[in-house]
Amino acid sequence: MRWRFRQISDLAASWAGHRVLPVALIAFVVVWTAVGLNFSFPRRWFLLTNTFCTLIAFFVVLLVQHAQNRDTKALHAKLDELIRSSEAGNHWIAAEKRDADAIEAMRRQHQAQISERQA
């Protein structure tokens, strides 16, 4: 199930980011407006438009968030492996899981080490 969701979300995210989508959306809006003008824009038309747009926007936000979370996790795993295989201190591994004060202390320590090396 999880594999299927990832496959569908990857396909939808790549489709949502395709360069043809803005042109298709503009064409859809033009057709939607023409049909609405033909029916004199009943109240249900506005309700349907607002509901449709809200659902699509919510869906795209969820897709982008899902893709961004997966990319961030992959990036952190790659960085952890680079740290592990280099001469850098292993205390930097999984730094993103620490609280903001601990990260700031690590950053200050790192800046101090750089300043010592330059002096």
Side-chain angles (χ1 to χ4, degrees), residues 92 95-109:
W92 288 101
E96 71 277 1
K97 295 180 181 174
R98 299 181 184 182
D99 63 355
D101 293 334
I103 293 172
E104 183 60 28
M106 290 172 66
R107 192 189 66 73
R108 274 188 261 125
Q109 178 187 5

Side-chain angles (χ1 to χ4, degrees), residues 7-61:
Q7 189 179 27
I8 292 169
S9 69
D10 287 346
L11 179 66
S14 67
W15 179 77
H18 197 273
R19 63 178 182 227
V20 175
L21 188 66
V23 175
L25 287 176
I26 289 170
F28 178 76
V29 167
V30 168
V31 170
W32 188 262
T33 304
V35 172
L37 284 171
N38 193 28
F39 290 117
S40 301
F41 289 111
R43 285 188 184 174
R44 289 184 184 164
W45 194 264
F46 290 113
L47 179 62
L48 184 62
T49 303
N50 287 336
T51 303
F52 182 71
C53 290
T54 301
L55 289 175
I56 293 297
F58 183 67
F59 179 67
V60 170
V61 166

